[in-house]
Amino acid sequence: MRPILIRRALLQPQAQRVDVRIADGHYQAIGASVPALPDDQIIEADDLWLMPGVADPLTRLREPGQTHKTTIAREARAALARGITWLGMAPDTQPPIESRAVLELVDNRARSAGGAGVRAICAITRDQGLAELAGLQSAGAALAADVGTPIQDSGLLRRALLYAASVSMPVLLQPIDLSLQGDGVAHNGPVAARLGLAGIPVSAETVAVARIVLLAEESGAQVLIGPLSCADSLPLIAQAQARGVNVSAMVSTLQLSLNELDLYPFRAYLHLQPPLRTEGDREALLQAVRHGLISVLCSDHQPHDVDAQLAPFPETAVGASTLDAHLGLGLRLVQRGELGLAEFIERACLAPRRWLGLAAAAFTVGSPADCILLDPHRDVALTISTLLSGGRNSPFLGWRLPGQIRLAVRETQCWQPESAT
Amino acid sequence: MPSLQLSDEGRLRHLLSIDGLPRERIVQLLDRAEALRVAAERGHLKLPILRGRTVVNLFFEDSTRTRTTFQLAAERLSADVVNLDVARSSTSKGESLLDTLATLAAMRCDLFVVRHPQSGAAHFIASHAPAGISVLNAGDGRNAHPTQALLDVYTIRRHKGPDFSGLKVTVVGDVLHSRVARSNLQALAALGVGELRVVGPRTLVPEHLDELGVQRHDRLDDGLADADVVIMLRLQKERMRGALLPSEGEFYRLYGLTRERLARAKPDCIVMHPGPINRGVEIESEVADGPQSVILEQVGNGLYIRMAVMAQILGDQVLDSEREGQSA
């Protein structure tokens, strides 16, 4: 990797003009004016924003076990090209990341992949019992998660949280009461009523949020709840936080960008859990992101192969492929004035790192380089041929999203558009 | 959002749902059905309208009744009919839904009449159908059953006249799982019905029907007061999963249409049911067989409606042949 000298970029969110030289995966020089060295690749960045790379704390990378959908390597490379320098990988692979063996396999794949860094998130339970959280922690897991089909037995969940607290392992919990979700495939609202789709009531999430918040309180565990979909979940979390419970909240950029009306009629790739809810829910979630009640943004990326989605709506696989759109959706919200840039950077680039056990992305001389350079005035068109992820099920096909990436760097991994070098 | 059902020139290419079908289209289909009925009453039972065309009944769900009606409708229009019983076809051997379709399309079939257990199935098939192939939704999950709604409003029109604005229509039963109910409510709303009411236990009636201007009632007596039309729905055991009702007996006690209950409606209220009826569960035999019941007439009307829809979808060039049939 040639040394790179970025000139006069607008460092965000400080809105400061800065020169940065990156060499050997580190920031070698940062200042108002850094002199060029003979070997430097110079990027004139007057029109460009310089930001920490996005850290996406919840993605499915399908390896091991479902590599017909995609692979760690493919997603890691796609991520970097989309401005995401770190991925948190959910443990519900086949087999799940509930043992050191699988964790090490994933780590090896991630290291040889290049592109974005991948942090494996381990499971909380194993075979109706507890996973070896301490062992997994020493093998590198910084976060444990219960997502997809979460634990329904309250007693087991309580013990798991007590144990996680004992070893100081933070925990990500997806709030779903499966008996209330039933065979629902869409929000239990006017759209589902009109289309004859089995509905998922709000209580499928709020009952689970209430349970999680109360058990977090009793156990003393550090808990991240999400991804959320309901406005009614927010007061439960706010009240718990006010009582001093160590609970935080997360939402996906997809939930902040669409609502149930986008389903009509039977639009493919929007069979989601949690489902898209009303516009009122979306606005409440956005407001919570603005004010920090929701402190973490994710993509909730769930890539699928083509066949998984070629069926009537209720029979399609759950989840949307959102890696390609994640950063763009965030910038779109910023452009529309629905979210401040500083808030977006904090929730999408900085806060997730703390949960994934990553070092803060500091712009200081000597720190590992971890940043993106983007043109906020140029759009990216998402089409079937421009998708980088292996997931074909993007609900954003045909959209133009702001923020063309001109450079993405994670230590010695570097991505630029082909035209650049 | 452009309608999948209408071609660029505004022709009816598919019939997937009443939702999104303009009022004029609905009336046009009712008028066409009426013309076909008149032709039949004059002895023109079989018309050459669809000669040379192939209609495929693609039923992923058991239904001898409905399939027979569609088959008869197609044959009365002189079409060739193919019945694909999916349980025995290669689809059950794992061939994907779209592959089944592509195979049939390769054999130059013009119209697929599809019944499927999942909501959105007809829409899915239509959105992948090659040019020149049309889809007629014979019922998809709980979503839609447009020809049933058309024959129901046609039946109402024959008894109450074309102006629905003064009518009070009550739908009773398992609306949540009923594609018949959904399509009927949409058709009645499109035709400007005066008052739309839905009666049933809250476990079987969706909350969000206000879009269509529907009033919900927990009690049958309230819902039947001064009604002009009552549509009873079958209690669909196969669609109910889990505890939605304690028993059929309790349902009958609360929502069964007995003579006594029917007396709350107007004296000339007509009693409808999409069939097959569960005697003693949603309706008393004496009511089902009584003077206010139009249940059997609905079945007959269904034939003309289905003929009208097929004729409409497969081409307007048929109009001339029909007119010949009428005047002869």
Side-chain angles (χ1 to χ4, degrees), chain A residues 239-326:
Chain A
Q239 284 156 20
Q241 287 177 347
R243 291 199 301 276
V245 181
N246 194 346
V247 80
S248 306
M250 178 175 76
V251 77
S252 70
T253 43
L254 177 148
Q255 280 287 343
L256 297 177
S257 307
L258 299 174
N259 65 37
E260 60 169 348
L261 299 174
D262 290 295
L263 235 70
Y264 187 78
F266 301 111
R267 248 194 72 201
Y269 311 152
L270 289 179
H271 179 190
L272 306 173
Q273 279 166 17
L276 294 173
R277 306 251 185 212
T278 67
E279 178 61 11
D281 290 295
R282 188 191 75 88
E283 281 172 355
L285 294 170
L286 250 177
Q287 191 182 54
V289 173
R290 283 195 289 267
H291 296 165
L293 172 55
I294 295 178
S295 53
V296 178
L297 289 177
C298 67
S299 67
D300 198 11
H301 176 55
Q302 299 183 42
H304 286 294
D305 53 309
V306 174
D307 286 337
Q309 305 294 33
L310 280 182
F313 188 92
E315 286 176 346
T316 55
V318 170
S321 179
T322 50
L323 194 71
D324 285 278
H326 179 47

Side-chain angles (χ1 to χ4, degrees), chain A residues 183 187-199 261 264-267 309-315, chain B residues 1 19-20 97-98 116 118-121 123-124 128 140-143 176 182 186 206-209 211 241:
Chain A
D183 55 5
H187 168 59
N188 192 35
V191 174
R194 190 172 170 187
L195 294 178
L197 293 173
L261 299 174
Y264 187 78
F266 301 111
R267 248 194 72 201
Q309 305 294 33
L310 280 182
F313 188 92
E315 286 176 346
Chain B
M1 196 210 128
D19 197 6
L97 181 48
L98 288 187
H116 193 285
Q118 293 290 358
S119 299
H123 183 273
F124 170 69
H128 287 92
D140 62 328
R142 355 172 148 173
N143 176 42
L176 180 63
R182 240 164 222 90
Q186 287 160 357
E207 297 150 49
H208 303 272
L209 293 174
E211 267 197 349
R241 282 186 245 301

Side-chain angles (χ1 to χ4, degrees), chain A residues 130-218:
Chain A
L130 303 178
E132 291 184 325
L133 294 183
L136 289 159
Q137 207 171 43
S138 61
L143 178 66
D146 184 31
V147 295
T149 29
I151 301 165
Q152 297 298 293
D153 183 319
S154 300
L156 176 58
L157 181 59
R158 186 176 184 276
R159 288 191 295 282
L161 291 179
L162 280 168
Y163 191 70
S166 318
V167 301
S168 302
M169 174 78 102
V171 163
L172 162 60
L173 301 178
Q174 181 165 14
I176 310 178
D177 183 308
L178 294 172
S179 66
L180 287 169
Q181 179 170 267
D183 55 5
V185 299
H187 168 59
N188 192 35
V191 174
R194 190 172 170 187
L195 294 178
L197 293 173
I200 302 175
V202 163
S203 53
E205 180 171 297
T206 52
V207 165
V209 168
R211 183 178 78 146
I212 289 170
V213 143
L214 292 168
L215 293 179
E217 187 166 21
E218 276 191 352

